[in-house]
Amino acid sequence: MVEGNTIIPPGGRIGILGGGQLGRMLAMAAAELGLHAHIYCPDENAPATEVANELTRASYDDEAALTRFARNVDVVTYEFENVPAETARILSEQGAVRPGPLALATAQDRLVEKTFLAARGIATAPFADVADERGLAAAIERVGCPSILKTRRFGYDGKGQARIGTRGDAAAAYAKIGRAPAILEGFVPFEREISVVVARGLDGTTAAYDPVENIHKNHILDRTFAPATLDIPLAEDACAIATHIACELDYVGVMGVELFLLPDGNARRLLVNEIAPRVHNSGHWTMDACTVSQFEQHIRAICGWPLGAPARHSDAIMTNLIGHEADEWQRRAAEPATAIHLYGKAEARPGRKMGHATRLYPLGTRPPVTSS
């Protein structure tokens, strides 16, 4: 693998940890730039393997396989943030891993993430560490109720979380998350969820896509509306917050930053909910509404290429196709001004992301956000 600030030209080899749909779309973006993708994952029939040049199927703790993989690529990146620390260490000893270890370590642990943000003056919900039942009681004293108990690691799409409405809910909530090390976050009466996809290049340049608004269903992202309906100063603040985080992490690549928009008297303010050190579901609309998608942007960044302009040429509504919703591919494909992306997964299961569809609109004509 390359080291330092080496630029990877066309013909270079991109190692991708993970074989899911994000890895698939990264591999496809790499191919568009004349680069070769090598997927490393333990899974049979992973979607990304269908579109990659090479595949290593091995566990993330197989040191010999990881070493061979690293020696066969020019740079390593990843499609999910829960890369084992030992895996990252082994690979980083061989050469360039982008984004780097600091971003991984920060985003993998909710307590570390919130502490990192707070130390840099970035507003979040109130939070407290929960190491055991006594710690949970102390955290409730500090944060109050209602609040949300979350495992420090491995939670996504609403998993690893429990709501505490009153102190009497604490024991059941702690049991629900498996009594794992946790963080208690104060309940935030937010008006809307906003997210920003931001990129930072190897040379430190940055580019942020327009903030978008997200609607969830059953704790899973359902639709993303691009752009979010925000006053210009708030939109600029959201982009500035995301860019600040990327710079503080010395980040290289694309990351997603989720924010809550809170009413605050006659004004509004933003709190950071979480960061994702990878391409992000709420950025899928960029594949069709921007000249340079978040996936191409990530490949450009980790290879040391100039970042592309993040401006959109269209408004968009991106809809995730969850489970058997993907069976309606013919109806979706017949809709006007709609791009459909299916991930090649063999089995549709409840809660499983099978694809997405993006409806485009001329600039300034996107329909209003609705929750249904």
Side-chain angles (χ1 to χ4, degrees):
M1 289 200 296
V2 301
E3 297 182 3
N5 292 332
T6 304
I7 295 172
I8 299 166
R13 302 161 300 173
I14 313 301
I16 302 172
L17 294 177
Q21 66 266 17
L22 299 182
R24 178 187 178 98
M25 289 182 275
L26 284 170
M28 293 167 70
E32 290 286 334
L33 299 178
L35 297 154
H36 305 290
H38 184 157
I39 301 296
Y40 186 108
C41 73
D43 307 313
E44 296 281 344
N45 303 316
T49 63
E50 297 179 343
V51 299
N53 300 84
E54 295 185 66
L55 165 66
T56 295
R57 181 170 288 120
S59 67
Y60 293 118
D61 61 1
D62 186 334
E63 185 167 355
L66 287 167
T67 299
R68 288 194 299 271
F69 169 69
R71 291 174 178 170
N72 195 43
V73 299
D74 296 310
V75 64
V76 169
T77 192
Y78 39 87
E79 64 139 25
F80 69 111
E81 58 264 50
N82 290 314
V83 176
E86 182 65 7
T87 300
R89 182 194 67 79
I90 292 168
L91 293 171
S92 61
E93 287 181 350
Q94 301 293 327
V97 178
R98 299 170 183 159
L102 177 59
L104 269 180
T106 302
Q108 283 180 350
D109 187 313
R110 287 188 171 103
L111 179 62
V112 174
E113 177 184 271
K114 288 291 194 297
T115 303
F116 174 90
L117 295 171
R120 286 152 180 83
I122 298 170
T124 70
F127 66 93
D129 184 16
V130 176
D132 50 30
E133 286 191 68
R134 181 179 296 180
L136 177 55
I140 291 174
E141 285 290 333
R142 177 177 171 183
V143 172
C145 295
S147 50
I148 308 294
L149 185 65
K150 301 179 180 181
T151 55
R152 286 177 58 172
R153 301 173 69 88
F154 303 118
Y156 65 97
D157 289 345
K159 297 176 175 65
Q161 300 186 20
R163 189 176 190 273
I164 298 178
T166 68
R167 296 174 190 273
D169 299 334
Y174 195 40
K176 181 179 178 181
I177 68 165
R179 306 175 67 84
I183 180 174
L184 187 71
E185 296 184 6
F187 180 75
V188 177
F190 63 92
E191 181 182 301
R192 288 180 273 161
E193 183 192 283
I194 305 299
S195 62
V196 175
V197 169
V198 64
R200 185 170 181 270
L202 196 58
D203 61 357
T205 58
T206 60
Y209 291 91
D210 291 322
V212 296
E213 183 170 346
N214 302 313
I215 302 294
H216 291 77
K217 184 187 297 182
N218 299 322
H219 302 289
I220 300 173
L221 180 62
D222 179 43
R223 284 166 299 148
T224 292
F225 293 76
T229 305
L230 290 175
D231 294 337
I232 291 175
L234 268 177
E236 292 176 344
D237 284 349
C239 292
I241 290 168
T243 301
H244 181 46
I245 293 170
C247 292
E248 286 292 305
L249 287 169
D250 195 22
Y251 197 84
V252 176
V254 161
M255 72 183 304
V257 178
E258 297 176 7
L259 307 105
F260 291 141
L261 178 64
L262 274 64
D264 189 7
N266 294 324
R268 289 183 172 91
R269 59 192 178 100
L270 296 165
L271 299 182
V272 172
N273 178 32
E274 64 181 34
I275 61 177
R278 52 171 170 78
V279 287
H280 197 255
N281 195 173
S282 72
H284 289 359
W285 63 277
T286 64
M287 297 175 73
D288 304 297
C290 299
T291 301
V292 176
S293 74
Q294 66 162 344
F295 299 99
E296 179 181 332
Q297 193 80 294
H298 185 79
I299 298 298
R300 284 175 175 240
I302 65 171
C303 291
W305 291 29
L307 297 182
R312 71 184 195 285
H313 53 69
S314 302
D315 291 355
I317 300 176
M318 187 283 297
T319 302
N320 271 333
L321 304 178
I322 307 297
H324 287 288
E325 291 175 352
D327 295 343
E328 299 180 349
W329 59 269
Q330 285 182 300
R331 178 179 68 81
R332 294 283 185 182
E335 292 176 349
T338 297
I340 185 168
H341 303 268
L342 299 175
Y343 304 151
K345 296 180 180 179
E347 181 185 3
R349 298 193 299 266
R352 193 180 198 196
K353 295 171 183 174
M354 301 297 293
H356 71 270
T358 303
R359 175 72 180 269
L360 298 181
Y361 302 87
L363 289 174
T365 67
R366 192 215 71 205
V369 176
T370 60
S371 58
S372 61

